[in-house]
Amino acid sequence: MKAILIDDELLALSYLELQLMKMDNFSLEIIGKFTNPYDAMAIVKHTKVDIAFIDIELPEINGIELAERLLEDHPGLMVVFVTAYQEYAVEAFELNAMDYIVKPVRFDRLSKTMNRILSKNRVSFNNPDPHPHQPLRMTMFRQVMIEEPQSPGQFSLMQWRTSRAQELFLYLLQHRGQLVRKSFIVDLLWSNIDLNKAYSQLYTTIYHIRKSLTPYEKRFQIKSANEGYLLELDNIILDVAVWDDSSQTIDISENLALYLEKMSSYTGDYLQEYDYWWAEGERQRLKQLWLNTALRLGQWYEDQQRFNDALTAYLQIRHLYPMEEKSSFALMKLYDKMSEPQKTLECYQELTTQLKEEYDILPGNDIQLWVKEWRKKQLTLKSAF
């Protein structure tokens, strides 16, 4: 195994190297000692490194941020933090680092660390992706799940050590292919704590996300650029992306079966089970897209004189979104067309009651005007008999 050592104190570097070299039972090659962390980053870009021993308190850059940047080039890199400050222990383990060693580095403590690394290496902890070029499907409707690389067709929840890691990953996933500035992320997730601590939390969280994504090889790549992060996907099929791309392009007349298949792929609202305010705009956009798609289907059935199928389509919308006025309006008109005045009236009354109870409003003017004219027509019909 190849290792690099990073510490701004030359004496500390030499002492750590000496302790490591005393371990005859480990095949370890130290390929670089660095007091300048940027020199270490340059080496890692072009050389395979298995282990990095990093001092957290570096003058040029926080050691946690440095570890996060090194992982960008080598996601499988094992990190051991070495520092004189005990206060960083909890933060280091939140990073899911291999270990945390307090200076001065004792031989017996270092031996335990190396044994942990050797054990991890033997059992292939990272569980690499067996088919990196085969697309994996991923869901974002209702719940975030991903197809298991080792078991095609089986989906599982993505596991995160902290709720912040999950939220940040999903935020980057929503803005995939776009640069998201670090300052914005800090304001989004850590606005209530000290700025320096907030940035430290950011680097910790990005570090953990990268480690959690290791089993998926290079399918998810988080890149640092221009004071921000950019998430790129490779061989990942997102259900929301497929829905977004196809929902407007399928001709119902030419391929009804495919249209119905796409309709059924909308299994719930976008990130429905996650209470993130920033997802609400995208949730409403995709919901409206589904509603328009479902309404088009109902209208197409009507045009084909397939009234029972149209009824099913509109009722499905009302079942999912009972206060959606467009579907209720279409349903009222359809009941009228089918000579079902009682159901027409019931549909209007149900919508009115629900809107009043939930929002203290009445249906839109277009619906009220139509119902007013419809009632006149019903009175005219009754008086004719």
Side-chain angles (χ1 to χ4, degrees), residues 319-363:
H319 174 70
L320 292 174
Y321 305 108
M323 286 174 284
E324 172 53 44
E325 294 189 46
K326 287 182 181 178
S327 58
S328 292
F329 197 12
L331 194 55
M332 281 183 251
K333 291 179 178 178
L334 180 58
Y335 279 136
D336 182 47
K337 192 179 293 186
M338 296 171 70
S339 300
E340 297 268 12
Q342 185 59 35
K343 289 186 176 179
T344 303
L345 184 59
E346 287 175 358
C347 184
Y348 174 70
Q349 289 173 338
E350 285 176 13
L351 176 65
T352 302
T353 300
Q354 288 163 338
L355 288 175
K356 186 67 177 175
E357 289 179 352
E358 188 71 21
Y359 303 115
D360 195 27
I361 60 173
L362 293 172

Side-chain angles (χ1 to χ4, degrees), residues 140-143 267-275 283:
M140 295 185 76
F141 286 129
R142 186 177 292 276
Q143 195 170 41
T267 56
D269 285 340
Y270 173 75
L271 296 183
Q272 181 175 320
E273 298 190 9
Y274 306 85
D275 189 23
R283 184 178 295 134

Side-chain angles (χ1 to χ4, degrees), residues 73-346:
D73 294 301
H74 287 299
L77 179 70
M78 291 177 281
V79 174
V80 177
F81 289 111
V82 185
T83 183
Y85 298 93
Q86 185 71 41
E87 66 190 74
Y88 287 106
V90 173
E91 189 173 12
F93 282 115
E94 283 179 354
L95 278 172
N96 201 23
M98 271 308 299
D99 212 341
Y100 177 94
I101 303 174
V102 179
K103 296 177 182 178
V105 179
R106 301 193 321 269
F107 180 79
D108 59 338
R109 181 66 183 81
L110 191 56
S111 294
K112 289 181 181 179
T113 296
M114 293 306 297
N115 279 318
R116 289 183 64 190
I117 291 173
L118 189 61
S119 175
K120 175 177 177 177
N121 214 36
R122 282 174 179 160
V123 299
S124 300
F125 179 85
N126 288 325
N127 212 4
D129 191 341
H131 308 291
H133 302 297
Q134 180 177 317
L136 288 184
R137 290 169 292 166
M138 186 172 179
T139 67
M140 295 185 76
F141 286 129
R142 186 177 292 276
Q143 195 170 41
V144 177
M145 302 184 76
I146 190 166
E147 196 170 16
E148 296 180 6
Q150 293 80 13
S151 305
Q154 293 187 27
F155 287 76
S156 61
L157 293 171
M158 300 187 79
Q159 300 298 319
W160 306 101
R161 176 167 296 206
T162 67
S163 59
R164 284 287 186 251
Q166 173 180 273
E167 183 172 2
L168 179 51
F169 171 73
L170 293 179
Y171 187 83
L172 293 174
L173 188 59
Q174 176 171 308
H175 296 86
R176 57 197 176 276
Q178 304 173 36
L179 181 70
V180 180
R181 297 191 69 80
K182 294 178 183 178
S183 57
F184 180 84
I185 297 172
V186 164
D187 190 52
L188 177 71
L189 300 179
W190 295 284
S191 60
N192 59 339
I193 64 174
D194 174 76
L195 193 60
N196 289 332
K197 198 167 185 179
Y199 273 92
S200 180
Q201 288 288 329
L202 170 61
Y203 302 138
T204 297
T205 303
I206 288 289
Y207 180 107
H208 175 60
I209 291 172
R210 284 203 173 106
K211 294 294 286 185
S212 297
L213 294 175
T214 300
Y216 305 103
E217 300 291 343
K218 295 184 178 180
R219 295 178 187 272
F220 300 94
Q221 296 184 49
I222 301 176
K223 298 182 177 180
S224 300
N226 299 324
E227 293 302 311
Y229 295 106
L230 178 73
L231 175 63
E232 294 184 346
L233 307 184
D234 183 30
N235 283 322
I236 293 289
I237 301 175
L238 288 176
D239 59 351
V240 292
V242 173
W243 166 261
D244 215 354
D245 293 341
S246 65
S247 58
Q248 302 284 352
T249 58
I250 302 172
D251 190 311
I252 306 177
S253 301
E254 293 181 1
N255 204 330
L256 177 60
L258 182 58
Y259 198 92
L260 292 173
E261 180 185 335
K262 293 302 177 187
M263 285 285 298
S264 64
S265 69
Y266 188 95
T267 56
D269 285 340
Y270 173 75
L271 296 183
Q272 181 175 320
E273 298 190 9
Y274 306 85
D275 189 23
Y276 302 138
W277 66 265
W278 48 261
E280 188 59 29
E282 183 69 354
R283 184 178 295 134
Q284 291 303 318
R285 185 185 73 83
L286 290 166
K287 171 185 170 181
Q288 195 60 51
L289 187 57
W290 183 85
L291 286 168
N292 292 339
T293 305
L295 286 167
R296 278 201 304 274
L297 177 64
Q299 186 59 58
W300 183 82
Y301 278 136
E302 283 195 60
D303 295 342
Q304 302 299 311
Q305 303 296 304
R306 294 171 60 173
F307 296 141
N308 286 331
D309 288 328
L311 189 62
T312 300
Y314 294 142
L315 286 172
Q316 182 187 8
I317 301 173
R318 284 207 71 211
H319 174 70
L320 292 174
Y321 305 108
M323 286 174 284
E324 172 53 44
E325 294 189 46
K326 287 182 181 178
S327 58
S328 292
F329 197 12
L331 194 55
M332 281 183 251
K333 291 179 178 178
L334 180 58
Y335 279 136
D336 182 47
K337 192 179 293 186
M338 296 171 70
S339 300
E340 297 268 12
Q342 185 59 35
K343 289 186 176 179
T344 303
L345 184 59
E346 287 175 358

Side-chain angles (χ1 to χ4, degrees), residues 65-78:
E65 182 183 2
L66 173 61
E68 177 257 302
R69 291 192 186 183
L70 294 176
L71 280 166
E72 183 177 343
D73 294 301
H74 287 299
L77 179 70
M78 291 177 281

